[in-house]
Structures are given as structure tokens and as C-alpha cells.
Amino acid sequence: MTLETLKPKVEDIIKHSSATVDERLLDICKFLEEQITHYNWVGFYFKNGNKKELKLGPYVGEPTDHTIIPFGKGICGQVAVSNQNFVVPDVSAQDNYIACSITVKAEIVIPIFVKGENIGQIDIDSNTPNPFTEEDERFLEFVCEKVAEIIN
């Protein structure tokens, strides 16, 4: 299975217009976590109004205390400031990492842009060391582009 083969299902979830935006985002989280073995926690964070912080949106995986993340703090907070993808092959090597679970070994965060503004991100934790490839990065950019279509 390549990640490319998952794109049509992501598009189907996005186009499911009778579901709310949050329901579709949760369906994407569930789908990615079920289909990709090294995706152990999948969630969305969004800019919290005019505040310089992110607020947790729909997610699947272990519960987290990190429902609000200040810009600049942790991997997600850094992506909110840098507007760049952030792939962390080994979270223990990161000084500015917010630990969600002792089982997490790696993380990837991809920003979501609407009209050129970073409005949020998809955040994926893996319990597998260094699992993320360029294919993951390109696939998740695609997911974020599709999500941007339904965010107002």
C-alpha cells in the first residue's frame, strides 16, 4: 500500500457535506490512524481566535492534556510560528518537545493554510522511531490542502 492510494478516500471524507467540519476532521483522523500503522496519534490543532495559541480539535489516540499550546512551544507551537513542516525522527533529541506520552518516539506536524494564513495543523505521533518519510510529508500536505477547502 502506498499513501497515494489513500487520497481518494480522504477526498470522499472531505466531500461528505452532510457531516459537520469537525465530524469530517475526526473521520480523517480515524481513517489515517487505521490505515497507516505508524500513525499512533492523529489530531488537528487550530489557531485559537486572535490569541497566540493553538487549540486542540478532533483527534484519535491517547487522551492529551495539551489542549492549548502557546505559539513557539513544542513542535506544534513552533510550526505555528515557522509556517514550515516539522518532521521529528526522535522526539528525545528535541529540546522544545512537549511529551504527550512516554510511548511516542517521533512526530510530524504539517501546517494548514487558508488564503495564505497558517490557521492550524495536523499533528501525528508515532510509537516507532524515525518512521516518517518524504512520502508521509507529501501525503499530509495533500490532506491539509483538502482540509483547507472546508475550513471557513
Side-chain angles (χ1 to χ4, degrees), residues 3-147:
L3 297 178
E4 196 69 26
T5 62
L6 302 179
K7 286 181 176 182
K9 178 62 177 172
V10 170
E11 289 179 312
D12 287 346
I13 293 169
I14 292 295
K15 291 176 186 169
H16 189 229
S17 59
S18 64
T20 67
V21 169
D22 277 356
E23 288 169 341
R24 288 183 267 177
L25 294 176
L26 183 59
D27 286 346
I28 287 171
C29 293
K30 289 177 183 174
F31 176 68
L32 297 181
E33 191 268 339
E34 289 166 1
Q35 296 296 315
I36 305 167
T37 55
H38 59 278
Y39 288 15
N40 302 111
W41 190 98
V42 180
F44 291 94
Y45 281 93
F46 292 99
K47 189 174 176 194
N48 191 9
N50 292 326
K51 299 176 184 173
K52 297 277 188 198
E53 65 185 22
L54 297 165
K55 185 175 182 180
L56 181 61
Y59 74 94
V60 295
E62 293 291 319
T64 179
D65 293 334
H66 306 290
T67 57
I68 300 290
I69 299 176
F71 282 13
K73 187 169 167 73
I75 307 307
C76 291
Q78 290 177 73
V79 169
V81 174
S82 73
N83 300 322
Q84 301 290 317
N85 297 352
F86 201 155
V87 181
V88 182
D90 177 5
V91 295
S92 69
Q94 285 293 316
D95 291 338
N96 191 7
Y97 172 68
I98 302 171
C100 291
S101 166
I102 58 167
T103 61
V104 174
K105 304 290 187 237
E107 183 173 12
I108 186 170
V109 179
I110 308 293
I112 301 167
F113 295 98
V114 173
K115 298 179 186 143
E117 180 187 355
N118 181 348
I119 56 94
Q121 53 202 226
I122 190 167
D123 176 22
I124 298 175
D125 292 342
S126 181
N127 299 338
T128 305
N130 195 19
F132 302 114
T133 65
E134 189 171 324
E135 185 185 14
D136 289 287
E137 207 171 342
R138 298 295 84 82
F139 172 69
L140 294 171
E141 288 171 348
F142 167 83
V143 171
C144 288
E145 287 169 14
K146 293 298 164 188
V147 166

